């Protein structure tokens, strides 16, 4: 066993390490929950680390939204960027010096090397490999440069990356133990000489993750199974540094109903969506606790697929119940299905269990909050003659589902097919656009120009999808108030439903 060195004595420390690249993801909360339970049951510490080294995908508001969403669910952490702690800083962008020093250690002990190829050279290599039907990977050309050659390149001022030197020779594989799966072996012929530090001096995920897990004294790495293929690289890094290897637990990925990896095209994946759409945090965390199992007398896969009326009450438990009764031994590896019908059923159970006072309070904290109503009121004040008309004009901002009939959304000059194809283009544009009036307007207009849809028809289509009507308060302002995740969900659901309708007509 490669990682048999004992970590059992060390106080338990676990972490989640989300990257602030967009809306907080349901997967982050699911993995966060398992880490939280593991730590709370063992008197351990739960660390929140922000992995923000990918500057190209960085989203400024994302970190705060991650904090808000985890707190909303009751998942409190012990150390993190906002709380501090003994092993900070907890934001990777504030630790670049630490990574640089560690890369030097690897260069010195020969477990990493500089690779001076230009991006163009690497691209040419990739193209050659693709043409030869080989898996694209670095060919190791600079693994054994002479010191004189390295010095010459450095003197020239050539840019370089630092790569992991995956050991040649015996043994030709790396093994590690996954606590849920047993020993996993990767042949070195399948492990790339991973870039550890990019030419801009920023570390890659692999280096920063291992250095931080070590320096933050993480005993158990509990993360999603999509990271299994990275783990041999991590194990090689621990060995290269001469460090103790933590325990690894790779949790089964959340899946769509069709068993594909959970994706926003098939399920809302933003925690902001669930909060804004009026899911109760107790229901959400309960639902996440059902994913992957872990509770005694776990529900079977088939229960998950049953109609709502047949769901069993043993599926209902609170976060403290989970702390008391969750057991990693009960985790099931079959992909847990993120079944929205089940989540809605659970949410309904929680709503019915509220006292009238707390039900009212829940409404006033969410879809009837002062903050929300204050944003809506100015959109309608000049457009109504009685206060009662407020409801007529704004119900789409409170409703869960809106489905305009074809005569509302298909413009006279267009066919249903063309209209739906254009709506799909609108969705793609909306997904990539900042959620402000200033950003949305030009982005949508540009799309209209490209596809030769008039501004009027372009905006009318979106208005119909969002509001179910051709008359509404100003469109972009309404979208901003409704929020990005709920608007996108509405457009996706619209497209999904229309697709199904078209299929049944065939
Ligand atoms: N930054 C990675 C993520 O976004 C962390 C993966 C890990 O836990 O090692 O999920």
């Amino acid at each position: 066993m490669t990682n048999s060195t004992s970590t059992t004595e060390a106080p338990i420390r676990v972490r989640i390490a989300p990257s602030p690249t967009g809306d907080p993801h349901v997967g982050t909360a699911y993995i966060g929950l398992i880490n939280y339970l593991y730590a709370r049951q063992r008197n351990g510490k739960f660390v929140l680390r922000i992995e923000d080294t990918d500057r190209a995908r960085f989203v400024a508001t994302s970190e705060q939204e991650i904090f808000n969403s985890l707190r909303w669910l009751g998942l409190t952490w012990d150390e993190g960027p906002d709380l501090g702690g003994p092993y900070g800083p907890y934001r990777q962008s504030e630790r670049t010096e630490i990574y640089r020093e560690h890369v030097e250690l690897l260069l010195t002990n020969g477990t990493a090397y500089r690779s001076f190829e230009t991006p163009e050279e690497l691209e040419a290599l990739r193209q050659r490999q693709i043409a030869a039907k080989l898996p694209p990977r670095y060919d190791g050309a600079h693994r054994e440069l002479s010191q004189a050659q390295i010095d010459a390149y450095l003197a020239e001022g050539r840019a370089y990356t630092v790569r992991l030197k995956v050991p040649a020779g015996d043994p030709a594989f790396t093994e590690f133990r996954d606590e849920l799966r047993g020993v996993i072996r990767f042949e070195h012929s399948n492990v790339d000489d991973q870039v550890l530090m990019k030419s801009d001096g920023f570390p890659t995920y692999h280096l920063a993750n291992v250095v931080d897990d070590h320096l933050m004294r993480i005993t158990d790495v509990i993360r999603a199974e999509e990271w299994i293929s990275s783990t041999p690289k991590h194990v090689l890094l621990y060995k290269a540094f001469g460090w103790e290897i933590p325990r690894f637990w790779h949790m089964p990925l959340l899946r769509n109903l069709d068993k594909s990896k959970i994706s926003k095209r098939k399920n809302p994946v933003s925690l902001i969506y669930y909060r804004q759409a009026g899911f109760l945090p107790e229901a959400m965390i309960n639902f996440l606790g059902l994913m992957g199992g872990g509770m005694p007398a776990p529900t079977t896969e088939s229960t998950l697929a049953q109609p709502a009326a047949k769901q069993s009450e043993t599926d209902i438990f609170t976060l403290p119940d989970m702390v008391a009764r969750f057991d990693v031994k009960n985790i099931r590896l079959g992909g847990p299905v993120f079944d929205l019908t089940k989540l809605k059923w659970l949410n309904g159970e929680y709503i019915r269990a509220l006292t009238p006072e707390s039900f009212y309070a829940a409404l006033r904290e969410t879809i009837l909050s002062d903050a929300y109503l204050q944003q809506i009121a100015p959109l309608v004040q000049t457009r109504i003659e009685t206060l009662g008309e407020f409801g007529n004009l704004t119900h789409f901002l409170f409703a869960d589902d809106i489905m305009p009939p074809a005569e509302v959304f298909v413009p006279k000059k267009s066919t249903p097919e063309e209209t739906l194809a254009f709506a799909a283009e609108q969705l793609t544009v909306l997904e990539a656009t900042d959620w402000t009036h200033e950003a949305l307007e030009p982005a949508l207009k540009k799309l209209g120009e490209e596809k030769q849809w008039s501004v009027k028809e372009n905006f009318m289509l979106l208005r119909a999808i969002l509001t179910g009507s051709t008359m509404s308060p100003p469109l972009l302002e309404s979208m901003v108030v409704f929020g990005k995740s709920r608007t996108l969900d509405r457009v996706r659901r619209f497209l999904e439903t229309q697709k199904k309708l078209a299929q049944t007509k065939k």
Side-chain angles (χ1 to χ4, degrees):
M1 212 40 265
T2 46
N3 53 342
S4 57
T5 36
S6 165
T7 46
T8 46
E9 301 306 316
I12 293 296
R13 293 177 55 81
V14 296
R15 84 316 187 261
I16 50 168
S19 298
T21 50
D23 277 8
H25 198 278
V26 287
T28 301
Y30 157 62
I31 299 296
L33 170 64
I34 307 298
N35 276 278
Y36 171 91
L37 296 173
Y38 192 86
R40 291 291 169 265
Q41 291 182 335
R42 290 166 181 76
N43 219 359
K45 296 280 187 236
F46 174 35
V47 177
L48 174 57
R49 179 171 77 228
I50 293 291
E51 297 205 333
D52 57 349
T53 54
D54 186 347
R55 302 316 280 179
R57 294 177 58 221
F58 179 76
V59 176
T61 50
S62 181
E63 177 184 296
Q64 192 55 50
E65 294 291 0
I66 292 170
F67 296 167
N68 294 347
S69 301
L70 294 174
R71 288 222 168 87
W72 173 66
L73 290 168
L75 299 177
T76 48
W77 51 99
D78 305 300
E79 298 166 28
D82 54 337
L83 298 178
Y87 304 106
Y90 293 90
R91 223 178 252 118
Q92 289 188 329
S93 58
E94 293 164 18
R95 300 171 65 82
T96 40
E97 206 39 53
I98 299 176
Y99 308 127
R100 241 171 278 209
E101 285 163 16
H102 281 83
V103 154
E104 282 308 317
L105 291 178
L106 299 182
L107 286 171
T108 309
N109 76 13
T111 52
Y113 62 96
R114 293 184 181 86
S115 147
F116 291 91
E117 289 89 349
T118 61
E120 293 73 31
E121 286 167 338
L122 291 174
E123 183 52 29
L125 168 67
R126 217 172 70 87
Q127 292 305 338
R128 280 199 303 279
Q129 288 170 329
I130 291 174
K133 301 216 168 7
L134 295 167
R137 55 182 295 184
Y138 181 59
D139 61 1
H142 286 190
R143 271 173 77 106
E144 307 293 347
L145 290 182
S146 68
Q147 193 55 47
Q149 184 66 75
I150 294 172
D151 292 342
Y153 280 149
L154 290 176
E156 268 176 43
R158 273 228 212 179
Y160 61 85
T161 60
V162 176
R163 288 180 184 270
L164 173 68
K165 198 179 222 173
V166 175
D170 250 9
F173 57 81
T174 289
E175 278 184 350
F176 60 91
R177 189 180 155 71
D178 179 289
E179 301 298 323
L180 299 172
R181 291 172 179 73
V183 175
I184 301 182
R185 174 185 290 196
F186 280 86
E187 300 298 327
H188 286 170
S189 53
N190 294 326
V191 185
D192 210 354
D193 277 3
Q194 179 65 49
V195 173
L196 302 175
M197 184 158 278
K198 296 173 268 183
S199 55
D200 61 5
F202 264 90
T204 57
Y205 154 73
H206 306 277
L207 177 77
N209 188 270
V210 165
V211 167
D212 287 352
D213 281 347
H214 174 73
L215 295 180
M216 295 180 181
R217 309 267 205 282
I218 299 303
T219 55
D220 295 83
V221 170
I222 307 173
R223 60 185 168 194
E225 68 187 333
E226 62 191 320
W227 301 103
I228 289 181
S229 61
S230 297
T231 308
K233 295 172 187 171
H234 299 182
V235 168
L236 286 170
L237 273 173
Y238 282 102
K239 289 183 181 167
F241 284 116
W243 292 339
E244 203 171 313
I245 297 167
R247 280 181 293 264
F248 292 105
W249 309 75
H250 289 97
M251 292 296 295
L253 283 185
L254 301 181
R255 310 228 158 237
N256 298 313
L257 271 180
D258 63 7
K259 289 278 181 174
S260 54
K261 176 182 164 185
I262 194 168
S263 63
K264 62 182 179 195
R265 285 291 154 118
K266 305 214 165 119
N267 268 307
V269 292
S270 164
L271 291 168
I272 297 177
Y273 168 81
Y274 291 97
R275 214 167 59 207
Q276 292 185 339
F279 286 83
L280 301 182
E282 295 82 3
M284 194 73 201
I285 200 76
N286 184 159
F287 179 67
L288 292 172
L290 289 171
M291 302 286 101
M295 288 298 277
T299 49
T300 60
E301 292 284 336
S302 58
T303 320
L304 283 180
Q306 277 177 24
K310 291 205 193 135
Q311 306 288 357
S312 131
E313 279 179 20
T314 57
D315 287 344
I316 298 181
F317 38 77
T318 64
L319 190 55
D321 290 340
M322 287 187 253
V323 173
R325 288 162 46 215
F326 173 87
D327 189 340
V328 283
K329 286 202 207 82
N330 292 334
I331 290 173
R332 286 164 295 133
L333 290 179
V337 175
F338 195 94
D339 178 356
L340 218 54
T341 314
K342 171 108 181 178
L343 172 57
K344 275 190 142 180
W345 166 78
L346 258 181
N347 205 54
E349 293 289 309
Y350 276 91
I351 287 180
R352 281 187 289 281
L354 293 172
T355 61
E357 293 75 25
S358 42
F359 174 61
Y360 175 75
L363 288 173
R364 295 285 284 140
E365 277 159 26
T366 55
I367 70 157
L368 295 181
S369 71
D370 284 344
Y372 192 44
L373 296 176
Q374 271 159 11
Q375 290 178 68
I376 296 171
L379 303 184
V380 297
Q381 190 177 354
T382 56
R383 293 181 166 74
I384 55 180
E385 289 175 331
T386 68
L387 298 181
E389 285 170 19
F390 177 85
N392 302 44
L393 268 194
T394 63
H395 75 283
F396 71 94
L397 293 170
F398 302 95
D400 198 38
D401 248 334
I402 292 284
M403 208 45 73
E407 58 274 21
V408 169
F409 72 80
V410 182
K412 288 206 176 55
K413 281 178 262 166
S414 192
T415 65
E417 290 74 25
E418 285 164 357
T419 308
L420 293 177
F422 186 70
E425 303 267 6
Q426 288 179 319
L427 174 61
T428 306
V429 166
L430 295 178
E431 281 171 344
T433 306
D434 279 349
W435 217 245
T436 61
H437 193 291
E438 298 73 50
L440 285 165
E441 184 165 349
L444 283 168
K445 283 190 173 158
K446 182 160 162 280
L447 173 71
E449 275 159 31
E450 279 166 18
K451 304 283 167 189
Q452 296 177 353
W453 271 60
S454 71
V455 178
K456 185 165 162 251
E457 286 176 346
N458 182 359
F459 282 61
M460 195 52 94
L461 172 58
L462 209 47
R463 181 189 312 277
I465 299 172
L466 180 73
T467 73
S469 160
T470 51
M471 295 241 304
S472 79
L475 176 67
L476 297 177
E477 281 84 347
S478 301
M479 283 164 56
V480 170
V481 168
F482 199 48
K484 184 167 186 169
S485 50
R486 275 193 297 175
T487 305
L488 295 184
D489 174 64
R490 189 159 287 175
V491 182
R492 285 183 197 122
R493 265 206 251 180
F494 166 79
L495 287 167
E496 208 42 44
T497 308
Q498 295 303 330
K499 207 163 82 189
K500 281 197 194 120
L501 280 176
Q503 276 162 1
T504 50
K505 271 189 210 141
K506 272 185 196 153

